[in-house]
Amino acid sequence: LTAFTLFSAAAFAQVTYTESGTFVVPDGVTSIDVELIGAGGNGNINGAGGGGGGAYAAGTFTVVPGTSYSITIGEGGSELATIFGGLGILAGAGANGNSAPNPNVGGGGEGGTALGGDIGYTGGAGGGGYYTYFGGGGGGAAGPTGVGGAGGNTIAWTGICQTPGGTAGVSGGAPGGAGGKGAGFTDVNSKVTDPAGTGASYGGGGGDGNGIIMEI
C-alpha cells in the first residue's frame, strides 16, 4: 500500500488517501501540510531479489479555497509514483525485484526517490536473492525520520538449504512500513519452505519467494 495524508492547519483536520482521487481545498483553508509515501516494489519469484521500499516526501503549501488537486496513488508493484498534482511534490515507488544469473546473489529493486516539498527521503533497496533457491528481503519505506533500510541479501547455495532468506528492511518511521523478509528453507534438505513476507503498510517492499521444494 501507499498513502497520501493531508493536514489542514486551519481546521485541524486530517485526510488520508489510499486510492487516487481529487482534493478540493475547503473554505477558510489557505495552508496545508502534505505527506506522501510511495508504493513498495514486489519481490520476484524463484529466488530473485526483494522489492524496493517507497520514498517519503512532505511539505507545507499555500493554497486557495475551492481549488481542486488531483491525487495519484501508486499501487504496490506498479512502480508508479504517488503524486499531489499541481504542487510539484511526489514520492517515487520502489522497483520490483529481478533475478540475477547464477552464481550471483542480486536482483534487488531500487528504493523510490522523492521530489519537491520540504523533506524527502529515499526508500530502502531490496536485498539480493539467489536464483531458484533463496529470496532477498524487501526494502523498508522511507518515513519522517529518515531513509528506509535496505533488505538483506540472502546467501548462495552451498549444498545445504538451511537459510531463512534475506532479512526485511526497516522503515524510516511511521507511517512508512517495513519490508518483507525473503523466502528460504528451514531444513538442510530443501524440503521445508520458509515463505516470504509481504511489505508492511505503507510502502514496504515485498520479500522474494524461493524456488520449488528441491529433490536432492
Side-chain angles (χ1 to χ4, degrees):
L1 276 175
T2 130
F4 151 78
T5 302
L6 175 141
F7 303 90
S8 165
F12 302 103
Q14 176 178 331
V15 181
T16 300
Y17 288 76
T18 56
E19 296 181 352
S20 298
T22 301
F23 171 73
V24 180
V25 181
D27 291 342
V29 174
T30 58
S31 178
I32 57 174
D33 296 330
V34 174
E35 181 178 66
L36 307 176
I37 299 176
N42 286 340
N44 212 310
I45 60 173
N46 210 23
Y56 175 88
T60 300
F61 299 89
T62 299
V63 292
V64 176
T67 304
S68 296
Y69 293 95
S70 62
I71 308 298
T72 301
I73 303 296
E75 297 182 0
S78 70
E79 300 187 333
L80 298 177
T82 295
I83 304 170
F84 193 117
L87 294 182
I89 182 173
L90 65 82
N96 297 328
N98 292 295
S99 296
N102 276 328
N104 302 313
V105 172
E110 294 183 356
T113 57
L115 175 68
D118 304 315
I119 302 172
Y121 292 115
T122 301
Y130 183 74
Y131 185 64
T132 76
Y133 284 89
F134 317 125
T145 60
V147 300
N153 293 335
T154 191
I155 63 172
W157 183 59
T158 61
I160 296 177
C161 278
Q162 195 168 14
T163 174
T167 56
V170 299
S171 80
K181 68 169 287 295
F185 294 91
T186 61
D187 67 318
V188 298
N189 295 315
S190 308
K191 294 183 181 295
V192 183
T193 59
D194 184 17
T198 57
S201 299
Y202 295 99
D208 169 66
N210 59 304
I212 61 172
I213 295 177
M214 311 299 291
E215 294 293 340
I216 58 175

